Amino acid sequence: MHLTHGIAISDILLLAPGPTPHTFDAVLARLLPDGRLPDEHQVTLYWELYGVRLDEAPRVSVAVSRVRTSFGRRLAERLRLREEPQTIEVQWATDAPAAAHAAGSVTLDLRDRPSGTWRVSVTVTDAAGRAATATRDLVIENR
């Protein structure tokens, strides 16, 4: 858990894509423990949030950036034979939580990302500007 100024976010769990999980058993049934994405390159990020006031709607930001790729890919990018992939970032305001701790999830479609190791980060910011961030690496293997 990552505690920052009174709010905290859990580690990010990577799940096989599907409907929003509402129980921990549903989360465990879809868990991708090794961080490797399924062939369709879609993944659901799941996290829990603690310390958010019940009367406020926190903002969520998710970013996906490349950490590592193959030597051949890096060479092709340097020679301008391939474009270097850009960081993806999305933000939205959530509904006010129903309890002092809440869960969040979002499904990402990463089919346009090349093979390699990618870092996802989830940042949650409350109305007072307090933020908590969690990061997790995942692996995309294009077959």
Side-chain angles (χ1 to χ4, degrees):
M1 190 173 333
H2 306 277
L3 182 62
T4 308
H5 308 294
I7 65 171
I9 187 170
S10 68
D11 288 333
I12 301 167
L13 297 179
L14 304 177
L15 309 180
T20 300
H22 294 289
T23 66
F24 196 64
D25 286 339
V27 169
L28 290 178
R30 295 178 26 213
L31 190 62
L32 302 172
D34 64 357
R36 295 187 182 283
L37 298 193
D39 289 341
E40 65 268 13
H41 296 160
Q42 294 179 338
V43 64
T44 297
L45 309 179
Y46 176 88
W47 63 90
E48 292 182 342
L49 184 62
Y50 306 92
V52 176
R53 291 182 30 190
L54 300 181
D55 61 343
E56 63 185 36
R59 292 200 52 76
V60 177
S61 172
V62 175
V64 181
S65 57
R66 187 172 68 183
V67 177
R68 283 188 302 272
T69 192
S70 69
F71 172 76
R73 174 77 192 200
R74 287 191 315 268
L75 180 61
E77 290 170 4
R78 295 262 187 219
L79 295 173
R80 305 216 188 281
L81 300 173
R82 302 284 299 256
E83 275 190 38
E84 186 173 342
Q86 302 298 314
T87 296
I88 303 167
E89 187 169 349
V90 294
Q91 297 180 6
W92 67 93
T94 65
D95 296 332
H101 66 279
S105 68
V106 64
T107 299
L108 303 176
D109 184 342
L110 301 173
R111 285 180 282 193
D112 66 338
R113 303 288 94 185
S115 294
T117 301
W118 293 79
R119 180 158 295 138
V120 294
S121 65
V122 175
T123 300
V124 180
T125 307
D126 69 8
R130 300 176 304 174
T133 301
T135 60
R136 173 78 190 263
D137 288 354
L138 55 86
V139 177
I140 295 175
E141 295 175 336
N142 292 323
R143 301 184 202 308

